[in-house]
Amino acid sequence: MSNEQFRIEKDSLGEMQVPADALWGASTQRAVENFPISGMRFSREFIYALALIKKSAAETHVDLELLPEDIGEAIVRAAEEVMNGSLDQHFPLDIFQTGSGTSTNMNANEVIAHRATQLTDGAVKVHPNDHVNAGQSSNDVIPSAMQIAALVAIHSDLLPALSDLERALKAKAEEFDDIVKSGRTHMM
């Protein structure tokens, strides 16, 4: 590929070539290259949960006057785009990786920061660590996202499936209600 298809991103570990159209940065690109393990990606519910945490943190930081309002609003808007699924293609990481999920946390921080900067037409430069990740640790964010994702999946998938099962069992009970059969044990 030519250099026109990449941009150079820098972080504390140095420079990385990142696809030009990617919203992630150097940290995510490093993880993409270091952990190509299973090809399995994080679920929609998990990505939603990460973005919900980032959005909530930004709102809280603005309320506490720890984050400028324009930056906080841009983060909230970008996090909402992640929550609605329109940026899922920017979460390329394999679910199997080392550590406490730092690469995944940084993926969310980088995507939200880049998108937040775009939403302001570059008038506000949102930083992945200083702004999006402010006051957060992967050791807290990732387990919290797991719990939130599980709750979302319970409400969106499990409870509706259980309701469908209940309706199906009731229908079968009504269908077979007139059939009389003596009880039998496993030894008969």
Side-chain angles (χ1 to χ4, degrees):
M1 291 187 160
S2 71
N3 286 342
E4 295 168 5
Q5 295 174 330
F6 293 96
R7 67 178 193 276
I8 301 297
E9 286 279 333
K10 291 192 301 187
D11 65 7
S12 61
L13 296 177
E15 293 184 348
M16 289 294 296
Q17 274 193 333
V18 175
D21 60 348
L23 290 179
W24 66 79
S27 181
T28 300
Q29 188 62 38
R30 223 175 255 104
V32 166
E33 293 176 14
N34 289 336
F35 306 114
I37 298 170
S38 72
M40 296 170 63
R41 303 291 175 254
F42 286 91
S43 68
R44 167 95 285 281
E45 293 89 357
F46 187 82
I47 294 169
Y48 171 91
L50 272 175
L52 178 63
I53 291 167
K54 302 301 177 177
K55 175 186 175 186
S56 300
E59 290 171 336
T60 301
H61 286 118
V62 168
D63 288 347
L64 295 173
E65 298 180 358
L66 298 172
L67 190 63
E69 195 168 321
D70 56 348
I71 292 175
E73 287 175 4
I75 291 170
V76 166
R77 287 177 50 209
E80 287 172 345
E81 287 187 15
V82 172
M83 290 168 65
N84 74 29
S86 63
L87 301 177
D88 282 357
Q89 71 274 22
H90 298 284
F91 290 85
L93 298 183
D94 197 293
I95 61 168
F96 297 104
Q97 49 190 267
T98 64
S100 61
T102 301
S103 297
T104 304
N105 188 38
M106 282 306 299
N107 184 192
N109 294 333
E110 289 173 345
V111 168
I112 292 169
H114 280 100
R115 183 62 184 140
T117 299
Q118 286 178 348
L119 289 170
T120 66
D121 294 323
V124 175
K125 176 68 173 142
V126 180
H127 192 275
N129 270 328
D130 297 342
H131 299 135
V132 181
N133 197 53
Q136 300 168 55
S137 165
S138 299
N139 291 322
D140 298 322
V141 170
I142 299 302
S144 297
M146 291 168 58
Q147 297 295 320
I148 293 167
L151 181 63
V152 168
I154 286 168
H155 283 281
S156 66
D157 299 331
L158 179 61
L159 293 179
L162 289 174
S163 292
D164 291 345
L165 177 61
E166 178 185 29
R167 280 191 294 280
L169 289 174
K170 281 182 180 178
K172 284 296 178 188
E174 290 172 10
E175 180 183 342
F176 296 126
D177 190 46
D178 294 334
I179 298 174
V180 178
K181 184 173 181 175
S182 62
R184 297 172 59 101
T185 70
H186 66 281
M187 297 300 286
M188 295 178 83

Coordinates of all heavy atoms in Angstrom, one line a residue, residues 58-147:
A58 N -17.6 11.8 30.6 CA -17.5 13.1 30.1 C -18.5 14.0 30.7 O -18.2 15.2 31.0 CB -17.6 13.1 28.5
E59 N -19.8 13.6 30.8 CA -20.8 14.4 31.4 C -20.5 14.8 32.8 O -20.7 15.9 33.2 CB -22.2 13.7 31.3 CG -22.7 13.6 29.9 CD -23.9 12.6 29.8 OE1 -24.1 11.7 30.7 OE2 -24.7 12.8 28.8
T60 N -20.0 13.8 33.6 CA -19.6 14.0 35.0 C -18.5 15.0 35.1 O -18.5 15.9 35.9 CB -19.3 12.7 35.6 OG1 -20.4 11.8 35.6 CG2 -18.9 12.9 37.1
H61 N -17.4 14.8 34.2 CA -16.3 15.7 34.2 C -16.7 17.2 33.9 O -16.1 18.1 34.4 CB -15.2 15.2 33.3 CG -14.5 14.0 33.9 ND1 -14.4 12.8 33.2 CD2 -13.7 13.9 35.0 CE1 -13.7 12.0 34.0 NE2 -13.3 12.6 35.1
V62 N -17.6 17.3 33.0 CA -18.1 18.7 32.6 C -18.8 19.3 33.9 O -18.6 20.4 34.2 CB -19.0 18.7 31.4 CG1 -19.7 20.0 31.2 CG2 -18.2 18.4 30.1
D63 N -19.7 18.5 34.5 CA -20.5 18.9 35.6 C -19.6 19.3 36.8 O -19.8 20.3 37.5 CB -21.4 17.8 36.1 CG -22.6 17.6 35.2 OD1 -22.9 18.4 34.3 OD2 -23.3 16.6 35.4
L64 N -18.5 18.6 36.9 CA -17.5 18.9 38.0 C -16.5 20.0 37.6 O -15.5 20.3 38.3 CB -16.8 17.6 38.4 CG -17.6 16.5 39.0 CD1 -16.8 15.3 39.3 CD2 -18.2 17.0 40.4
E65 N -16.6 20.5 36.4 CA -15.7 21.5 35.8 C -14.3 21.0 35.7 O -13.3 21.8 35.8 CB -15.8 22.8 36.6 CG -17.2 23.4 36.5 CD -17.4 24.7 37.3 OE1 -16.4 25.2 37.9 OE2 -18.5 25.3 37.3
L66 N -14.2 19.7 35.4 CA -12.8 19.1 35.2 C -12.5 19.0 33.7 O -11.4 18.6 33.4 CB -12.8 17.7 35.9 CG -13.0 17.7 37.4 CD1 -13.1 16.2 37.9 CD2 -11.8 18.4 38.1
L67 N -13.5 19.2 32.9 CA -13.4 19.1 31.4 C -14.1 20.3 30.8 O -15.3 20.6 31.2 CB -14.0 17.8 31.0 CG -13.8 17.3 29.6 CD1 -12.3 17.1 29.3 CD2 -14.6 16.0 29.3
P68 N -13.5 21.0 29.9 CA -14.2 22.1 29.2 C -15.5 21.6 28.6 O -15.5 20.5 28.0 CB -13.2 22.6 28.2 CG -11.9 22.2 28.7 CD -12.1 20.9 29.4
E69 N -16.5 22.5 28.6 CA -17.8 22.1 28.1 C -17.8 21.7 26.6 O -18.4 20.7 26.2 CB -18.8 23.2 28.3 CG -20.3 22.8 28.2 CD -21.2 23.8 28.7 OE1 -21.0 24.4 29.7 OE2 -22.3 24.0 28.0
D70 N -17.0 22.4 25.8 CA -17.0 22.1 24.4 C -16.4 20.8 24.1 O -16.9 20.0 23.2 CB -16.3 23.2 23.5 CG -14.9 23.5 24.0 OD1 -14.5 23.0 25.1 OD2 -14.2 24.2 23.3
I71 N -15.4 20.4 24.8 CA -14.7 19.1 24.7 C -15.7 18.0 25.2 O -15.9 17.0 24.5 CB -13.4 19.0 25.4 CG1 -12.4 20.0 24.7 CG2 -12.9 17.6 25.5 CD1 -11.0 20.1 25.4
G72 N -16.3 18.2 26.3 CA -17.2 17.3 26.9 C -18.4 17.0 26.0 O -18.8 15.9 25.8
E73 N -19.0 18.1 25.4 CA -20.1 17.9 24.5 C -19.7 17.1 23.2 O -20.4 16.3 22.7 CB -20.6 19.3 24.1 CG -21.4 19.9 25.2 CD -21.9 21.4 24.8 OE1 -21.7 21.8 23.7 OE2 -22.5 22.0 25.7
A74 N -18.5 17.4 22.7 CA -18.0 16.6 21.5 C -17.8 15.2 21.9 O -18.1 14.3 21.1 CB -16.7 17.3 21.0
I75 N -17.3 14.9 23.1 CA -17.1 13.5 23.5 C -18.5 12.8 23.6 O -18.6 11.7 23.1 CB -16.3 13.4 24.8 CG1 -14.9 13.8 24.6 CG2 -16.4 12.0 25.4 CD1 -14.1 14.0 25.9
V76 N -19.4 13.5 24.2 CA -20.8 12.9 24.4 C -21.4 12.6 23.0 O -21.9 11.5 22.8 CB -21.7 13.9 25.2 CG1 -23.1 13.5 25.0 CG2 -21.2 13.9 26.6
R77 N -21.3 13.5 22.0 CA -21.8 13.3 20.7 C -21.1 12.1 20.0 O -21.8 11.2 19.4 CB -21.7 14.5 19.8 CG -22.7 15.6 20.3 CD -22.5 16.9 19.5 NE -22.5 16.7 18.1 CZ -21.9 17.5 17.2 NH1 -21.2 18.6 17.7 NH2 -21.9 17.3 15.9
A78 N -19.8 12.0 20.1 CA -19.1 10.9 19.5 C -19.4 9.6 20.2 O -19.6 8.6 19.5 CB -17.6 11.2 19.6
A79 N -19.5 9.6 21.5 CA -19.9 8.4 22.3 C -21.2 7.9 21.9 O -21.5 6.7 21.7 CB -19.8 8.6 23.8
E80 N -22.2 8.8 21.6 CA -23.5 8.4 21.2 C -23.5 7.8 19.8 O -24.3 6.8 19.6 CB -24.4 9.6 21.2 CG -24.8 10.1 22.7 CD -25.6 11.4 22.7 OE1 -25.6 12.2 21.7 OE2 -26.1 11.7 23.8
E81 N -22.6 8.2 19.0 CA -22.5 7.6 17.7 C -21.9 6.1 17.8 O -22.4 5.2 17.1 CB -21.6 8.4 16.7 CG -22.2 9.6 16.2 CD -21.3 10.3 15.2 OE1 -20.4 9.7 14.6 OE2 -21.6 11.5 14.9
V82 N -21.0 6.0 18.8 CA -20.5 4.6 19.0 C -21.7 3.8 19.6 O -21.9 2.6 19.2 CB -19.3 4.6 20.0 CG1 -18.9 3.2 20.4 CG2 -18.1 5.4 19.3
M83 N -22.4 4.3 20.5 CA -23.5 3.6 21.1 C -24.6 3.2 20.1 O -25.1 2.1 20.2 CB -24.2 4.5 22.2 CG -23.3 4.7 23.4 SD -23.9 5.9 24.6 CE -25.4 5.2 25.1
N84 N -24.8 4.0 19.1 CA -25.9 3.6 18.1 C -25.4 2.7 17.1 O -26.1 2.3 16.2 CB -26.5 4.9 17.5 CG -25.7 5.6 16.5 OD1 -24.9 5.0 15.9 ND2 -25.9 6.9 16.4
G85 N -24.1 2.3 17.1 CA -23.5 1.3 16.2 C -23.0 1.8 14.9 O -22.4 1.1 14.1
S86 N -23.0 3.1 14.7 CA -22.5 3.6 13.4 C -21.0 3.7 13.2 O -20.5 3.9 12.1 CB -23.1 5.1 13.1 OG -22.6 6.0 14.1
L87 N -20.3 3.4 14.3 CA -18.8 3.4 14.2 C -18.2 2.0 14.5 O -17.0 1.9 14.8 CB -18.2 4.5 15.1 CG -18.7 5.9 14.9 CD1 -18.1 6.8 15.9 CD2 -18.3 6.3 13.5
D88 N -19.0 1.0 14.5 CA -18.5 -0.4 14.8 C -17.3 -0.8 14.0 O -16.5 -1.6 14.5 CB -19.6 -1.4 14.7 CG -20.6 -1.4 15.8 OD1 -20.4 -0.6 16.8 OD2 -21.6 -2.1 15.8
Q89 N -17.2 -0.4 12.8 CA -16.1 -0.8 11.9 C -14.8 -0.3 12.5 O -13.7 -0.7 12.0 CB -16.3 -0.4 10.5 CG -16.2 1.1 10.2 CD -17.4 1.9 10.5 OE1 -18.4 1.5 11.2 NE2 -17.5 3.1 9.9
H90 N -14.8 0.6 13.4 CA -13.6 1.2 14.0 C -13.1 0.5 15.3 O -12.3 1.0 16.0 CB -13.7 2.7 14.2 CG -14.0 3.4 12.9 ND1 -13.0 3.7 12.0 CD2 -15.1 3.9 12.3 CE1 -13.4 4.3 11.0 NE2 -14.7 4.5 11.1
F91 N -13.8 -0.6 15.5 CA -13.4 -1.5 16.7 C -12.9 -2.8 16.2 O -13.6 -3.8 16.3 CB -14.6 -1.6 17.7 CG -14.9 -0.3 18.3 CD1 -15.7 0.7 17.7 CD2 -14.4 0.0 19.6 CE1 -16.0 1.9 18.3 CE2 -14.6 1.2 20.2 CZ -15.4 2.1 19.6
P92 N -11.6 -2.9 15.7 CA -11.1 -4.0 15.0 C -10.4 -5.1 15.9 O -10.0 -6.1 15.5 CB -10.1 -3.4 14.1 CG -9.5 -2.3 14.9 CD -10.7 -1.7 15.6
L93 N -10.4 -4.8 17.2 CA -9.6 -5.7 18.1 C -10.1 -7.0 18.3 O -11.4 -7.2 18.5 CB -9.3 -5.0 19.4 CG -8.5 -3.7 19.4 CD1 -8.3 -3.1 20.8 CD2 -7.2 -3.8 18.6
D94 N -9.3 -8.0 18.4 CA -9.6 -9.4 18.7 C -10.0 -9.4 20.2 O -9.4 -8.7 21.0 CB -8.4 -10.2 18.5 CG -8.7 -11.7 18.4 OD1 -9.1 -12.3 19.5 OD2 -8.5 -12.3 17.3
I95 N -10.9 -10.2 20.6 CA -11.3 -10.3 22.0 C -10.3 -10.9 22.9 O -10.3 -10.7 24.1 CB -12.7 -11.0 22.2 CG1 -12.6 -12.5 21.7 CG2 -13.8 -10.3 21.5 CD1 -13.8 -13.3 22.2
F96 N -9.3 -11.7 22.3 CA -8.3 -12.3 23.0 C -7.0 -11.4 22.9 O -6.5 -11.2 21.8 CB -8.0 -13.7 22.5 CG -9.1 -14.6 22.7 CD1 -9.9 -15.0 21.6 CD2 -9.5 -15.1 23.9 CE1 -11.0 -15.8 21.8 CE2 -10.6 -16.0 24.1 CZ -11.3 -16.3 23.0
Q97 N -6.5 -10.9 24.1 CA -5.4 -10.1 24.1 C -4.8 -10.2 25.5 O -5.4 -10.8 26.4 CB -5.7 -8.6 23.7 CG -7.0 -8.1 24.5 CD -7.5 -6.8 23.9 OE1 -7.1 -5.8 24.5 NE2 -8.3 -6.8 23.0
T98 N -3.7 -9.5 25.8 CA -3.1 -9.6 27.1 C -3.6 -8.5 28.0 O -4.2 -7.5 27.5 CB -1.6 -9.5 27.0 OG1 -1.2 -8.2 26.5 CG2 -1.0 -10.6 26.1
G99 N -3.3 -8.6 29.3 CA -3.6 -7.6 30.2 C -5.0 -7.4 30.6 O -5.8 -8.3 30.5
S100 N -5.3 -6.2 31.1 CA -6.6 -5.8 31.7 C -7.6 -5.2 30.7 O -8.6 -4.7 31.1 CB -6.4 -4.9 32.8 OG -5.8 -3.7 32.4
G101 N -7.2 -5.3 29.4 CA -8.1 -4.7 28.4 C -7.7 -3.3 28.0 O -8.5 -2.6 27.5
T102 N -6.5 -3.0 28.3 CA -6.0 -1.6 28.0 C -6.1 -1.3 26.5 O -6.5 -0.2 26.2 CB -4.5 -1.4 28.5 OG1 -4.5 -1.7 29.9 CG2 -4.0 0.0 28.2
S103 N -5.8 -2.2 25.7 CA -5.9 -2.0 24.2 C -7.3 -1.7 23.8 O -7.6 -0.8 23.0 CB -5.4 -3.2 23.5 OG -4.0 -3.5 23.7
T104 N -8.3 -2.4 24.4 CA -9.7 -2.2 24.1 C -10.2 -0.8 24.6 O -10.9 -0.1 24.0 CB -10.5 -3.3 24.7 OG1 -10.0 -4.6 24.2 CG2 -12.0 -3.2 24.4
N105 N -9.8 -0.5 25.9 CA -10.1 0.8 26.4 C -9.5 1.9 25.6 O -10.2 2.9 25.3 CB -9.6 0.9 27.9 CG -10.0 2.1 28.6 OD1 -11.2 2.5 28.4 ND2 -9.2 2.7 29.4
M106 N -8.3 1.7 25.1 CA -7.6 2.8 24.3 C -8.3 2.8 22.9 O -8.4 3.9 22.3 CB -6.1 2.5 24.2 CG -5.4 2.9 25.4 SD -5.6 4.7 25.9 CE -5.1 5.5 24.4
N107 N -8.8 1.7 22.4 CA -9.5 1.7 21.1 C -10.7 2.7 21.2 O -10.9 3.5 20.4 CB -9.9 0.3 20.8 CG -10.6 0.2 19.4 OD1 -11.1 -0.9 19.1 ND2 -10.5 1.1 18.5
A108 N -11.5 2.5 22.3 CA -12.6 3.3 22.5 C -12.2 4.8 22.7 O -12.8 5.7 22.1 CB -13.4 2.9 23.7
N109 N -11.2 5.0 23.5 CA -10.7 6.4 23.7 C -10.3 7.1 22.4 O -10.6 8.2 22.1 CB -9.5 6.4 24.7 CG -9.9 6.0 26.1 OD1 -11.0 6.1 26.5 ND2 -8.9 5.4 26.8
E110 N -9.5 6.3 21.6 CA -9.0 6.9 20.3 C -10.1 7.2 19.3 O -10.2 8.2 18.7 CB -8.0 6.0 19.7 CG -6.7 5.9 20.5 CD -5.7 4.9 20.0 OE1 -6.1 4.0 19.2 OE2 -4.5 5.0 20.4
V111 N -11.1 6.2 19.2 CA -12.2 6.4 18.2 C -13.0 7.6 18.7 O -13.4 8.4 17.8 CB -13.0 5.1 18.1 CG1 -14.3 5.4 17.4 CG2 -12.2 4.0 17.5
I112 N -13.4 7.6 19.9 CA -14.2 8.7 20.4 C -13.5 10.1 20.3 O -14.1 11.1 19.9 CB -14.7 8.5 21.9 CG1 -15.7 7.3 21.8 CG2 -15.3 9.7 22.5 CD1 -16.0 6.7 23.2
A113 N -12.2 10.1 20.6 CA -11.4 11.4 20.5 C -11.4 11.8 19.0 O -11.6 13.0 18.8 CB -10.0 11.2 21.1
H114 N -11.0 10.9 18.1 CA -10.9 11.3 16.7 C -12.3 11.8 16.2 O -12.4 12.8 15.5 CB -10.4 10.2 15.9 CG -8.9 10.0 15.9 ND1 -8.3 9.1 16.7 CD2 -7.9 10.7 15.3 CE1 -7.0 9.2 16.6 NE2 -6.7 10.2 15.8
R115 N -13.3 11.0 16.5 CA -14.6 11.4 16.0 C -15.1 12.7 16.7 O -15.7 13.6 16.0 CB -15.7 10.3 16.3 CG -17.0 10.6 15.7 CD -17.0 10.7 14.2 NE -18.3 11.1 13.7 CZ -18.6 12.0 12.8 NH1 -17.5 12.6 12.2 NH2 -19.8 12.3 12.4
A116 N -14.8 12.9 17.9 CA -15.2 14.2 18.6 C -14.5 15.4 17.9 O -15.1 16.4 17.7 CB -14.9 14.1 20.1
T117 N -13.2 15.2 17.6 CA -12.5 16.3 16.9 C -13.1 16.5 15.6 O -13.3 17.7 15.2 CB -11.0 15.9 16.8 OG1 -10.4 15.7 18.1 CG2 -10.2 16.9 16.0
Q118 N -13.5 15.5 14.8 CA -14.2 15.7 13.5 C -15.5 16.4 13.7 O -15.8 17.2 12.8 CB -14.5 14.3 12.9 CG -13.3 13.6 12.3 CD -13.6 12.2 11.7 OE1 -14.7 11.7 11.9 NE2 -12.7 11.6 11.0
L119 N -16.2 16.1 14.7 CA -17.5 16.7 14.9 C -17.4 18.2 15.2 O -18.4 18.9 14.9 CB -18.3 16.0 16.1 CG -18.8 14.6 15.8 CD1 -19.3 13.9 17.1 CD2 -19.9 14.6 14.7
T120 N -16.3 18.7 15.6 CA -16.1 20.1 15.8 C -15.3 20.7 14.6 O -14.9 21.9 14.7 CB -15.3 20.4 17.1 OG1 -14.0 19.9 16.9 CG2 -16.0 19.7 18.3
D121 N -15.2 20.0 13.5 CA -14.5 20.4 12.4 C -13.0 20.8 12.7 O -12.5 21.7 12.1 CB -15.2 21.6 11.6 CG -16.5 21.1 11.0 OD1 -16.6 20.0 10.5 OD2 -17.5 21.9 11.1
G122 N -12.5 20.2 13.7 CA -11.1 20.4 14.1 C -11.0 21.6 15.0 O -9.8 22.0 15.4
A123 N -12.1 22.3 15.3 CA -12.0 23.5 16.2 C -11.5 23.1 17.6 O -10.9 23.9 18.3 CB -13.3 24.2 16.2
V124 N -11.9 21.9 18.0 CA -11.5 21.4 19.3 C -10.7 20.2 19.1 O -11.1 19.3 18.4 CB -12.7 21.1 20.2 CG1 -12.4 20.5 21.5 CG2 -13.6 22.4 20.4
K125 N -9.5 20.1 19.7 CA -8.7 18.9 19.6 C -8.9 18.1 20.8 O -8.5 18.4 22.0 CB -7.2 19.3 19.5 CG -6.2 18.1 19.4 CD -6.4 17.3 18.2 CE -5.3 16.2 18.1 NZ -5.8 15.0 17.6
V126 N -9.6 16.9 20.7 CA -9.9 16.0 21.8 C -8.8 15.0 21.9 O -8.5 14.3 20.9 CB -11.3 15.4 21.6 CG1 -11.6 14.5 22.8 CG2 -12.4 16.5 21.5
H127 N -8.2 14.8 23.1 CA -7.2 13.9 23.3 C -7.7 12.6 23.9 O -8.5 12.6 24.8 CB -6.1 14.5 24.2 CG -4.8 13.7 24.3 ND1 -4.7 12.7 25.1 CD2 -3.7 13.9 23.6 CE1 -3.4 12.2 24.9 NE2 -2.8 12.9 24.0
P128 N -7.3 11.4 23.4 CA -7.8 10.1 23.9 C -7.5 9.9 25.3 O -8.4 9.4 26.0 CB -7.0 9.1 23.0 CG -6.4 9.8 21.9 CD -6.3 11.2 22.3
N129 N -6.3 10.2 25.8 CA -6.0 10.0 27.3 C -6.5 11.2 28.1 O -7.1 11.0 29.2 CB -4.5 9.8 27.5 CG -4.2 8.3 27.4 OD1 -4.9 7.4 27.7 ND2 -3.0 8.1 26.9
D130 N -6.1 12.4 27.8 CA -6.3 13.5 28.6 C -7.8 13.9 28.7 O -8.2 14.4 29.8 CB -5.5 14.8 28.1 CG -4.0 14.5 28.1 OD1 -3.6 13.6 28.8 OD2 -3.3 15.3 27.4
H131 N -8.6 13.6 27.7 CA -10.0 14.0 27.7 C -10.9 12.8 27.8 O -11.7 12.8 28.7 CB -10.3 14.9 26.5 CG -9.5 16.1 26.4 ND1 -8.9 16.5 25.2 CD2 -9.2 17.0 27.3 CE1 -8.2 17.7 25.4 NE2 -8.4 18.0 26.7
V132 N -10.9 11.9 26.9 CA -11.8 10.8 26.8 C -11.6 9.9 28.0 O -12.6 9.4 28.6 CB -11.8 10.0 25.5 CG1 -12.8 8.9 25.5 CG2 -12.0 11.0 24.3
N133 N -10.4 9.6 28.3 CA -10.0 8.6 29.4 C -9.8 9.2 30.7 O -9.5 8.5 31.7 CB -8.8 7.8 29.0 CG -8.6 6.5 29.8 OD1 -9.6 5.7 29.9 ND2 -7.5 6.3 30.4
A134 N -10.0 10.5 30.9 CA -9.7 11.2 32.1 C -10.3 10.6 33.3 O -11.5 10.3 33.4 CB -10.3 12.7 32.0
G135 N -9.5 10.3 34.3 CA -9.9 9.7 35.6 C -10.4 8.3 35.5 O -11.0 7.8 36.4
Q136 N -10.0 7.6 34.4 CA -10.5 6.2 34.2 C -9.3 5.2 34.1 O -8.2 5.6 33.7 CB -11.3 6.1 33.0 CG -12.6 6.9 33.0 CD -13.2 7.0 31.6 OE1 -13.5 6.0 31.0 NE2 -13.4 8.2 31.1
S137 N -9.5 4.0 34.5 CA -8.5 3.0 34.4 C -9.1 1.8 33.7 O -10.3 1.5 33.9 CB -8.1 2.5 35.8 OG -7.4 1.3 35.7
S138 N -8.4 1.1 32.8 CA -8.8 -0.1 32.2 C -9.3 -1.1 33.2 O -10.2 -1.9 32.9 CB -7.7 -0.7 31.3 OG -7.3 0.2 30.3
N139 N -8.6 -1.1 34.4 CA -9.0 -2.1 35.4 C -10.4 -1.8 35.9 O -11.0 -2.7 36.6 CB -8.0 -2.0 36.6 CG -6.7 -2.5 36.2 OD1 -6.5 -3.5 35.5 ND2 -5.6 -1.8 36.7
D140 N -11.0 -0.6 35.7 CA -12.3 -0.3 36.1 C -13.3 -0.3 34.9 O -14.4 -0.9 35.0 CB -12.4 1.1 36.8 CG -11.6 1.1 38.1 OD1 -11.6 0.2 38.8 OD2 -11.0 2.2 38.3
V141 N -12.8 0.2 33.8 CA -13.7 0.4 32.6 C -14.1 -1.0 32.1 O -15.3 -1.2 31.8 CB -13.0 1.3 31.6 CG1 -13.8 1.2 30.3 CG2 -12.8 2.7 32.1
I142 N -13.1 -1.9 31.9 CA -13.4 -3.1 31.2 C -14.4 -4.0 32.0 O -15.4 -4.5 31.5 CB -12.1 -3.9 30.8 CG1 -11.3 -3.0 29.8 CG2 -12.4 -5.2 30.2 CD1 -12.0 -2.6 28.5
P143 N -14.1 -4.2 33.3 CA -15.1 -5.0 34.1 C -16.5 -4.4 34.1 O -17.5 -5.0 34.1 CB -14.5 -5.1 35.5 CG -13.0 -4.9 35.3 CD -12.9 -3.9 34.1
S144 N -16.5 -3.0 34.2 CA -17.8 -2.3 34.2 C -18.5 -2.5 32.9 O -19.7 -2.8 32.9 CB -17.6 -0.8 34.5 OG -17.1 -0.7 35.8
A145 N -17.8 -2.4 31.8 CA -18.4 -2.6 30.5 C -18.9 -4.0 30.3 O -20.0 -4.3 29.7 CB -17.4 -2.3 29.4
M146 N -18.2 -5.0 30.9 CA -18.7 -6.4 30.8 C -20.0 -6.5 31.6 O -20.9 -7.2 31.1 CB -17.6 -7.3 31.4 CG -16.4 -7.5 30.6 SD -15.0 -8.3 31.4 CE -15.7 -9.9 31.9
Q147 N -20.1 -5.9 32.7 CA -21.4 -6.0 33.5 C -22.5 -5.3 32.8 O -23.6 -5.8 32.7 CB -21.2 -5.4 34.9 CG -20.2 -6.1 35.7 CD -20.6 -7.5 36.1 OE1 -21.8 -7.8 36.4 NE2 -19.7 -8.5 36.1

